[in-house]
Amino acid sequence: MAGQSDPHISLFSAEEVEFMAEDELIEIVPNMRMDPLNFICGDFGPFLPQIATQVPLWLAVALKKRGKCAIRPPQWMSVENLTRVLEGERDTQGAFQALPFHYVEISRLLFDHARDDIPDMYMVRSLVEDIRDVRIHKVETSLEKFSGTSAVKIPNLSAMEVNIIRPFVGRALQAFYKHDNPEKIPDVDRAPSGHTRVANNEPRRPLRR
Amino acid sequence: MANYYNIDDILTEEEFVPVVFHKSANGVIIDPSSETNSVEQGAKVELPLWLAQELYLRQAISISVPACFNQKTRLEIQADAACVDLKFRSPYFYEFGCKIAPLVGDKSVEILLLSAFKIRYKEILTKAYTAAYTATSKFFTLLTKEETNLYEAAQSSMVAFKKWRMGGPRLQRASVLGRKRKLIE
């Protein structure tokens, strides 16, 4: 599952996460008639004017660019829902609100391509940015708290946020595990066990020239 | 054996440790200023760790606590771990301590390392994610190689995310295609 980005730093770059987010299904309202499309991932259609259908996001954006459809924003992207989520994020310090796994990428793609399809676009955009800031801040403060553990579980984190903290948390946990290992120091008085090498003290034969 | 080819591991073993010889050794030039090419029994010299480990297995030396873990460092770390200049002591402070601990048999080294790392880790965390630019603060000179890796990992992923958020062309021309090759006649 490695992407093309630098394997030492992180496994996925931001663009790759966006690419994977485009597989999510979204509802569109086409304004033309088209036969069903048969792809490897599935069949979509037939497209009839003014009848809503579910398609993957990449197909929706491609159709929108050609002016063949209007994208209907998903349920969670309404102003009331986002305001409620924002309040919830600000109130609960430890937990994260349940949001779709790819909300960052989906919202960015919709803002870039389907600006006129979202009611109150500026409000929704500022709400999503606020939610994202609050969540990243919460992740950082909760990362400060753990120390000396080998595994950390954070529920309800979205794909982009996970991608940001992935290399850092991986290395930090490795370092903690290395230092915190209580078995590491054997007693010096014990006789050397079988797996330590015992040096050979015989007189050495001179090598033949 | 996974660390055999690791450059950081090799450089860690390059650090000096003070040892006391139990047997005398001939034909070695350890101290450049001495007249004879030998080391007597009971002499105190500084050897790199890879050499000291081998000699320790042959019971030829005994290793004492290196200078970077002495009492002065310990007091400084206990006072404020975040401001101690560990890179000056050795850039591989933590790995060095991990390797030294079974040889010297001093358990307090381990606890010292862990507590120092915990405190410094918090500092790294706050600075890595909040700095919008690579701050050339004094903080960087204090970090060991391992902590610098941690910091750069966090920084690069944050920068990549911000760049993505700004937008930009989805498809980029590969840099290999930039130049045209001239035909060699």
Side-chain angles (χ1 to χ4, degrees):
Chain A
M1 278 247 284
Q4 289 295 320
S5 44
D6 184 7
H8 296 292
I9 298 291
S10 72
L11 215 44
F12 299 111
S13 71
E15 289 87 3
E16 283 152 8
V17 178
E18 183 189 11
F19 187 71
M20 285 182 285
E22 286 178 344
D23 270 340
E24 301 276 324
L25 289 177
I26 198 170
E27 213 169 77
I28 62 162
V29 179
N31 57 8
M32 47 72 201
R33 181 182 290 261
M34 203 155 75
D35 286 336
L37 294 169
N38 302 76
F39 295 122
I40 294 177
C41 61
D43 301 330
F44 305 108
F47 297 103
L48 300 167
Q50 312 304 325
I51 308 271
T53 35
Q54 296 248 334
V55 293
L57 190 53
W58 54 268
L59 183 58
V61 168
L63 288 176
K64 175 77 183 174
K65 273 194 196 161
R66 288 159 178 79
K68 292 193 190 288
C69 73
I71 302 184
R72 199 179 278 177
Q75 297 285 49
W76 55 267
M77 217 152 142
S78 62
V79 176
E80 310 90 48
N81 194 33
L82 288 177
T83 328
R84 193 165 47 80
V85 167
L86 187 57
E87 304 273 321
E89 292 283 344
R90 287 200 175 130
D91 291 336
T92 61
Q93 273 311 305
F96 292 89
Q97 297 290 306
L99 270 180
F101 190 50
H102 292 282
Y103 79 95
V104 181
E105 300 93 67
I106 295 179
S107 53
R108 189 180 153 251
L109 280 170
L110 288 183
F111 290 144
D112 281 347
H113 301 290
R115 208 162 267 211
D116 42 349
D117 289 331
I118 309 174
D120 300 327
M121 207 248 345
Y122 292 109
M123 188 71 182
V124 170
R125 182 176 200 160
S126 71
L127 279 174
V128 169
E129 303 259 330
D130 286 343
I131 290 177
R132 207 188 54 224
D133 285 336
V134 169
R135 282 167 72 106
I136 289 191
H137 202 67
K138 259 210 262 191
V139 169
E140 288 173 29
T141 45
S142 74
L143 280 184
E144 277 179 28
K145 295 209 187 84
F146 81 80
S147 57
T149 53
S150 310
V152 176
K153 183 168 166 174
I154 307 183
N156 283 338
L157 211 55
S158 81
M160 189 56 80
E161 290 155 6
V162 166
N163 196 41
I164 290 178
I165 66 175
R166 191 198 316 263
F168 182 76
V169 171
R171 296 229 178 129
L173 284 177
Q174 251 178 6
F176 272 125
Y177 179 68
K178 202 170 65 161
H179 291 305
D180 210 3
N181 204 352
E183 289 293 318
K184 230 171 5 177
I185 305 180
D187 282 325
V188 185
D189 304 326
R190 265 204 323 231
S193 51
H195 62 264
T196 54
R197 288 178 296 135
V198 178
N200 198 350
N201 273 341
E202 295 168 1
R204 311 216 166 238
R205 259 188 1 207
L207 291 174
R208 231 177 343 180
R209 302 222 177 199
Chain B
M1 265 306 187
N3 281 337
Y4 190 69
Y5 289 110
N6 190 4
I7 287 281
D8 287 334
D9 205 55
I10 297 174
L11 288 175
T12 307
E13 303 210 334
E14 197 53 36
E15 303 281 337
F16 283 112
V17 289
V19 300
V20 175
F21 269 82
H22 288 319
K23 311 180 181 162
S24 58
N26 279 333
V28 292
I29 310 180
I30 294 186
D31 192 7
S33 61
S34 70
E35 292 121 9
T36 60
N37 286 353
S38 63
V39 181
E40 282 103 29
Q41 184 169 351
K44 279 195 187 176
V45 287
E46 297 238 335
L47 293 180
L49 180 58
W50 48 270
L51 192 55
Q53 250 176 345
E54 295 296 321
L55 292 177
Y56 184 73
L57 286 173
R58 292 159 203 269
Q59 282 105 36
I61 58 170
S62 72
I63 306 185
S64 41
V65 181
C68 46
F69 296 109
N70 63 1
Q71 198 60 26
K72 181 161 165 283
T73 318
R74 276 172 213 240
L75 287 175
E76 278 191 24
I77 289 183
Q78 270 164 6
D80 185 5
C83 302
V84 178
D85 188 358
L86 284 186
K87 192 152 120 189
F88 171 70
R89 302 282 162 36
S90 84
Y92 293 99
F93 194 71
Y94 296 109
E95 294 93 348
F96 193 44
C98 292
K99 286 195 195 300
I100 281 285
L103 297 175
V104 176
D106 189 7
K107 295 207 184 208
S108 61
V109 172
E110 194 51 33
I111 308 173
L112 171 76
L113 281 188
L114 181 60
S115 58
F117 182 62
K118 273 192 217 172
I119 300 176
R120 289 167 68 97
Y121 155 79
K122 286 204 191 105
E123 288 291 319
I124 297 177
L125 176 65
T126 48
K127 290 222 168 58
Y129 280 123
T130 51
Y133 51 92
T134 48
T136 52
S137 63
K138 208 169 57 106
F139 186 62
F140 281 128
T141 54
L142 312 178
L143 299 179
T144 68
K145 189 92 176 22
E146 187 178 335
E147 290 167 346
T148 317
N149 277 346
L150 212 55
Y151 183 92
E152 273 170 20
Q155 186 88 22
S156 65
S157 63
M158 195 61 169
V159 161
F161 169 68
K162 290 205 171 113
K163 191 166 144 217
W164 170 78
R165 194 161 59 108
M166 286 297 139
R170 291 278 306 272
L171 305 170
Q172 284 175 332
R173 209 186 152 116
S175 56
V176 184
L177 300 173
R179 311 212 187 130
K180 297 205 175 146
R181 267 190 328 187
K182 289 198 186 142
L183 286 176
I184 300 179
E185 308 272 334

